[in-house]
């Protein structure tokens, strides 16, 4: 953990530094992306723009903010240490066990309807969701193995790294060093993480995922664990979409994106098993930290 004497600037100034860096690089990144996609949205142009966005809008602000804020930037971001294999195994098991419950949450979120007074807002949200889904469909275009590998590298690996560096490594840690309760820091960062994607009908499941990544960072004290779990989660989604590409609409195939969604028993079992595994993960991580502190 980064102690206060390793930090520069006041709590409020640290947040301002991150926000200024985010705004500055968002403007720069958006201008570059506009040039890349000026001839229209294609799979190639979207892949290039996604890589640029991840590097410019997420990675650069996080790294620069950490360098300015802390005398130990790698430690501040949580990238100076690794994690234990049992932590990884338990984290993966919890993610897999949660699939039916998360699929139900996705279905519930997609079915939400706002009151009539907010009809205009709902129409805008639906339009935003449609645009995002169309962009994802173009981005993940291609049915060959080569296309799958490229999509996993971009949407899985790079997105997992860049988003965790910014939302957990930088944002969550800055909030946590502002004398904020760590649970509040985790959930606020998760809320901003989910909002930032501008896909409101996937807001709740993404909020839960963001919180899960946040707790993984706190329990392991290593950003690499949530980075890897984030990358695995995204890669599974990419693979599922690639695998079902071209499947006949008459065939209703069970995938990780719909498994268990109509089974209350499976959903309840998913919640119970996920909580059990997460509790085991937390206890193992706490014991590991205690052992490390005693050894030092």
């Amino acid at each position: 953990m980064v102690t206060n004497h390793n930090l520069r600037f006041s709590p409020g100034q640290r947040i301002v530094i991150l926000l200024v860096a985010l705004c500055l690089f968002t403007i720069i990144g958006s201008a570059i992306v506009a040039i890349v996609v000026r001839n229209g949205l294609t799979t190639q142009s979207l892949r290039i723009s996604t890589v640029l966005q991840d590097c410019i809008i997420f990675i650069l602000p996080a790294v620069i903010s950490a360098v300015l804020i802390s005398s130990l930037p790698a430690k501040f971001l949580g990238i100076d240490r690794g994690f234990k294999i049992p932590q990884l195994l338990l984290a993966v098991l919890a993610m897999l066990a949660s699939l039916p419950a998360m699929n139900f949450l996705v279905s519930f979120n997609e079915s939400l309807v706002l009151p009539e007074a907010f009809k205009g807002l709902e129409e805008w949200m639906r339009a935003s969701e449609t645009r995002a889904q169309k962009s994802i469909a173009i981005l993940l275009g291609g049915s060959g193995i080569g296309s799958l590998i490229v999509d996993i590298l971009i949407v899985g690996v790079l997105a997992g790294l860049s988003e965790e560096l910014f939302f957990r490594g930088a944002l969550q840690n800055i909030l946590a060093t502002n004398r904020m309760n760590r649970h509040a820091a985790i959930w606020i960062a998760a809320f901003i993480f989910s909002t930032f994607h501008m896909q409101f009908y996937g807001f709740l499941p993404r909020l839960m995922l963001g919180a899960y990544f946040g707790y993984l960072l706190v329990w392991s004290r290593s950003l690499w664990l949530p980075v890897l779990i984030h990358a695995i989660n995204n890669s599974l989604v990419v693979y599922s979409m690639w695998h079902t590409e071209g499947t006949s609409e008459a065939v209703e195939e069970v995938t990780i994106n719909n498994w268990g969604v109509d089974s209350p028993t499976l959903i309840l079992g998913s919640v119970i098993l996920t909580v059990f595994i997460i509790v085991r993960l937390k206890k193992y991580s706490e014991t590991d930290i205690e052992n490390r502190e005693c050894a030092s």
Side-chain angles (χ1 to χ4, degrees), residues 164-237:
E164 289 310 301
L165 266 175
F166 183 85
F167 291 103
R168 254 62 64 179
L171 178 59
Q172 180 177 308
N173 280 332
I174 287 177
L175 294 174
T177 58
N178 284 358
R179 299 174 183 175
M180 180 181 292
N181 178 280
R182 70 177 184 177
H183 299 290
I186 288 170
W187 285 98
I188 290 174
F191 181 88
I192 296 173
F193 164 73
S194 188
T195 303
F196 206 93
H197 282 77
M198 296 295 287
Q199 290 177 268
F200 303 102
Y201 291 94
F203 179 86
L204 293 179
R206 192 172 287 109
L207 173 68
M208 298 301 293
L209 273 177
Y212 180 51
F213 300 148
Y215 281 108
L216 289 180
L217 171 59
V218 170
W219 293 336
S220 68
R221 296 188 181 180
S222 171
L223 187 69
W224 296 116
L225 183 57
V227 164
L228 189 51
I229 298 302
H230 193 153
I232 292 173
N233 176 78
N234 286 11
S235 298
L236 286 173
V237 174

Side-chain angles (χ1 to χ4, degrees), residues 23-231:
C23 292
L24 175 61
F25 284 104
T26 297
I27 294 172
I28 295 173
S30 299
I32 295 175
V33 168
I35 296 174
V36 173
V37 300
R38 66 183 182 279
N39 294 324
L41 296 179
T42 64
T43 297
Q44 182 178 8
S45 66
L46 273 179
R47 284 173 174 171
I48 294 173
S49 63
T50 299
V51 171
L52 291 172
Q53 285 179 325
D54 286 343
C55 294
I56 298 174
I57 298 178
F58 291 134
I59 294 178
L60 285 179
V63 173
I64 290 175
S65 296
V67 170
L68 293 175
I69 289 171
S70 175
S71 59
L72 301 171
K75 189 172 185 179
F76 181 84
L77 291 171
I79 59 176
D80 65 321
R81 59 175 289 177
F83 51 83
K84 295 293 184 66
I85 295 301
Q87 291 175 316
L88 173 61
L89 294 177
L90 288 169
V92 172
L93 284 175
M95 182 180 68
L96 295 176
S98 71
L99 284 175
M102 290 295 288
N103 288 338
F104 170 76
L105 188 59
V106 169
S107 178
F108 171 77
N109 197 164
E110 290 176 344
S111 65
L112 290 178
V113 178
L114 296 180
E116 185 65 25
F118 298 96
K119 183 178 180 180
L121 175 61
E122 181 174 358
E123 290 177 349
W124 174 79
M125 291 167 60
R126 293 286 182 188
S128 177
E129 186 77 16
T130 300
R131 287 194 299 271
Q133 290 177 351
K134 288 182 178 178
S135 296
I136 292 173
I138 297 174
L139 174 65
L140 301 180
S143 58
I145 294 295
S147 180
L148 173 63
I149 293 174
V150 171
D151 290 337
I152 287 178
L153 289 175
I154 295 175
V155 181
V157 179
L158 182 58
L161 172 63
S162 61
E163 292 181 6
E164 289 310 301
L165 266 175
F166 183 85
F167 291 103
R168 254 62 64 179
L171 178 59
Q172 180 177 308
N173 280 332
I174 287 177
L175 294 174
T177 58
N178 284 358
R179 299 174 183 175
M180 180 181 292
N181 178 280
R182 70 177 184 177
H183 299 290
I186 288 170
W187 285 98
I188 290 174
F191 181 88
I192 296 173
F193 164 73
S194 188
T195 303
F196 206 93
H197 282 77
M198 296 295 287
Q199 290 177 268
F200 303 102
Y201 291 94
F203 179 86
L204 293 179
R206 192 172 287 109
L207 173 68
M208 298 301 293
L209 273 177
Y212 180 51
F213 300 148
Y215 281 108
L216 289 180
L217 171 59
V218 170
W219 293 336
S220 68
R221 296 188 181 180
S222 171
L223 187 69
W224 296 116
L225 183 57
V227 164
L228 189 51
I229 298 302
H230 193 153

